[in-house]
Amino acid sequence: MTVIHMNQRQLANRWCVSEATLERWRSEGIGPQYLKLGGRVMYREVDVEAYEQDCLRLSTSRKLHQD
């Protein structure tokens, strides 16, 4: 299995948010898990997709998958 990584800019482009937003979210503990390697922030695609799945909603008050 090949692990695909993306950097902060790539994720910002994917979600149409600024890199500063991702930086703020990381400091607040929001968003997908990330790696910090040699001062660089990287996101595994599998973690990004898992976070996106967790954000799916049926309505404003209900997650797609209630636990």
Side-chain angles (χ1 to χ4, degrees):
M1 178 174 116
T2 302
V3 178
I4 299 171
H5 294 86
M6 62 185 78
N7 62 31
Q8 178 174 282
R9 177 174 292 145
Q10 291 168 320
L11 182 57
N13 287 337
R14 177 181 177 130
W15 286 350
C16 300
V17 299
S18 70
E19 292 184 55
T21 296
L22 292 177
E23 291 167 3
R24 181 174 49 80
W25 288 353
R26 280 197 309 275
S27 71
E28 295 175 3
I30 300 169
Q33 295 180 51
Y34 63 94
L35 302 166
K36 186 97 177 216
L37 302 169
R40 292 180 28 193
V41 172
M42 301 295 292
Y43 295 89
R44 296 184 312 176
E45 185 175 59
V46 66
D47 295 326
V48 170
E49 290 173 349
Y51 183 77
E52 291 171 343
Q53 182 71 29
D54 190 51
C55 290
L56 288 175
R57 301 286 191 259
L58 287 173
S59 69
T60 57
S61 61
R62 289 183 45 213
K63 283 187 170 186
L64 185 60
H65 303 285
Q66 294 288 330
D67 295 327

